[in-house]
Amino acid sequence: GAGVSQSPSNKVTEKGKDVELRCDPISGHTALYWYRQSLGQGLEFLIYFQGNSAPDKSGLPSDRFSAERTGGSVSTLTIQRTQQEDSAVYLCASSSGLYNEQFFGPGTRLTVL
Amino acid sequence: QKEVEQDPGPLSVPEGAIVSLNCTYSNSAFQYFMWYRQYSRKGPELLMYTYSSGNKEDGRFTAQVDKSSKYISLFIRDSQPSDSATYLCAMKGVTGGGNKLTFGTGTQLKVEL
């Protein structure tokens, strides 16, 4: 289909390792968002990209988290030196404009042992 | 205190029942209100999007907003087993903050035969 895709669907890693999570937005969508969903915490905003503007990184919990979006399309969320509290589902969403409906991908379930 | 409060449930109802799901919020800057449905191991999907105080109906779903009380509701009529999912309220302001959403923790709903 033409929805938002994310990879991998599941990732198990050891504490201290780096991980990269990938998001492929809907083709033509200019805005891309990352959220984190922890048990009992709901979805927590991390970062969003809109076109060529500087990303809004206000939701990143620490400097171990970073994200980039190459060519205005695919985005990678990187978590360095993972900690057990980073275990969560990481969701990506895209929208056709900054104020339009956000379509979510299925998420990447990250488990840090 | 969280900006958005939502009873996590679980809420179990018989098929055909009317379901009432609610969120309260503290930030008066929130002006747009959404309800998302999330099936297990899937990303959230948008159900309802409202701006004004009052009711908005779409099929079996009615979204209600009371800005003076900072209270929003989602009603599901003639509930079906296929409605079993987690329901998330989300909201955002008009100015600033781009399109990032603030979510409730979600209410888990089970509709039983």
Side-chain angles (χ1 to χ4, degrees), chain A residues 45-85:
Chain A
F45 166 79
L46 297 176
I47 185 171
Y48 81 79
F49 300 86
Q50 167 57 28
N52 295 321
S53 302
D56 180 337
K57 306 179 182 180
S58 60
L60 295 178
S62 77
D63 59 7
R64 295 186 296 105
F65 288 73
S66 63
E68 63 177 20
R69 189 178 185 192
T70 54
S73 181
V74 172
S75 177
T76 302
L77 178 69
T78 301
I79 309 173
Q80 295 178 309
R81 305 181 302 281
T82 52
Q83 304 294 311
Q84 288 182 331
E85 60 263 28

